[in-house]
Amino acid sequence: MAFENQQQASAYWRENIKLVLGLLAIWFAVSFGCGILLADWLNEFRFFGFKLGFWFAQQGAIYVFVVLIFVYARLSSRLDIKYNVQED
C-alpha cells in the first residue's frame, strides 16, 4: 500500500478511523443499549420463544458484530479503491 503523499495518507486514515468509530458506536448501542438499558422494555416482546432483551444480551449483539465485520470489509474496500491503495 503506497500513498502518493502524506496528505493522502492522512485523509485515508482519518476516514478509516471515522468508519471504525461509527461501526463501534452501532455495536455499543446494540449491545449496551438493547442488552442492558432497554432490556426490561424489550423483554415484553418474544423472539423465537425468548424474551427479546435476553436474546439481544446473549446472541443479538454477537450477530450484529458479525454483520458489522462484513460491512467494514465492504466499506474498507471502497475506501481503498477511492484512495487507489487496493491490493492487487
Side-chain angles (χ1 to χ4, degrees):
M1 181 179 339
F3 293 100
E4 294 176 9
N5 54 44
Q6 184 61 35
Q7 198 172 26
Q8 184 187 27
S10 295
Y12 171 84
W13 285 109
R14 190 173 24 260
E15 283 191 52
N16 195 9
I17 295 298
K18 188 188 308 184
L19 173 62
V20 169
L21 291 176
L23 294 175
L24 282 174
I26 292 170
W27 187 42
F28 176 79
V30 169
S31 62
F32 187 74
C34 295
I36 297 172
L37 295 179
L38 299 174
D40 292 334
W41 179 74
L42 288 172
N43 280 336
E44 296 177 12
F45 306 100
R46 295 238 175 229
F47 185 72
F48 290 114
F50 298 101
K51 293 179 179 179
L52 190 57
F54 172 78
W55 184 84
F56 265 110
Q58 299 301 315
Q59 295 178 352
I62 296 168
Y63 290 150
V64 169
F65 182 67
V66 170
V67 168
L68 289 178
I69 290 171
F70 289 105
V71 169
Y72 174 74
R74 183 160 178 94
L75 294 177
S76 179
S77 293
R78 287 183 186 173
L79 189 63
D80 289 351
I81 292 169
K82 176 181 176 182
Y83 286 95
N84 197 27
V85 292
Q86 70 273 15
E87 295 186 25
D88 296 326

